[in-house]
Each structure stands twice: as structure tokens, then as C-alpha cells.
Amino acid sequence: MVRLRVEFTTEPFDLDEAPAHAVVGRDIITGAGLDAVDVGPFGNTAEGESEKVLSAVDALLRKSLEVGATRVSLQVNVIAPAGEDAT
């Protein structure tokens, strides 16, 4: 099983109130059944099995753009290739 780490931010930023695209992104990532989820005002990370991460990324891109994101910065890293332990 391949494990992935996703890191992402959505823009534009609003320091007074979380914009809809940020809320949608947070909800998707926290509801995707991923591990090591960390959400914050300027960036979000999560880890998990590749299919779960890729499904979450697909939903994140589609839904955050639908509700007003003008940019989504995204990085996906392999943290444990198939056949290797994640530690």
C-alpha cells in the first residue's frame, strides 16, 4: 500500500473570517478518513492510503473552486512506497 501526504492551501485569504473555500477544504480533508490531519489558517496537511488521499484531493479541487477559490496550492508526496513501512 502506498501512503501519501497532501499539503494544500486555498486562496484568496481572509484574515477576519474563513472563506467558503477554506471551510469546504477543511471539511473534505477532515471527513476523508485520513491520518495525521492538521488544518490551519494558512495550510493544511494530511496523510493516508493513496486512494483516500487522491479521492480527497479530487473533491478538494472541485468543490473549493466551485465556491470561490481562485488558487489552490497543492503538494502530494509519497511517504511510504508499496511494500515499505511508513515509520
Side-chain angles (χ1 to χ4, degrees):
M1 169 176 65
V2 175
R3 287 186 53 82
L4 302 175
R5 175 183 297 122
V6 60
E7 301 174 44
F8 71 93
T9 58
T10 60
E11 296 179 42
F13 295 118
D14 183 341
L15 298 178
D16 295 326
E17 181 177 325
H21 56 81
V23 173
V24 164
R26 180 185 64 220
D27 290 348
I28 289 168
I29 213 72
T30 58
L34 302 175
D35 309 321
V37 175
D38 183 22
V39 295
F42 300 109
N44 308 281
T45 61
E47 299 176 3
E49 185 268 320
S50 62
E51 285 305 313
K52 286 184 179 182
V53 171
L54 295 174
S55 291
V57 166
D58 178 59
L60 165 74
L61 291 171
R62 292 176 189 277
K63 292 180 181 178
S64 62
L65 292 168
E66 282 177 11
V67 297
T70 57
R71 178 187 306 220
V72 179
S73 299
L74 176 72
Q75 181 170 308
V76 177
N77 295 306
V78 174
I79 56 174
E84 292 186 20
D85 190 2
T87 57

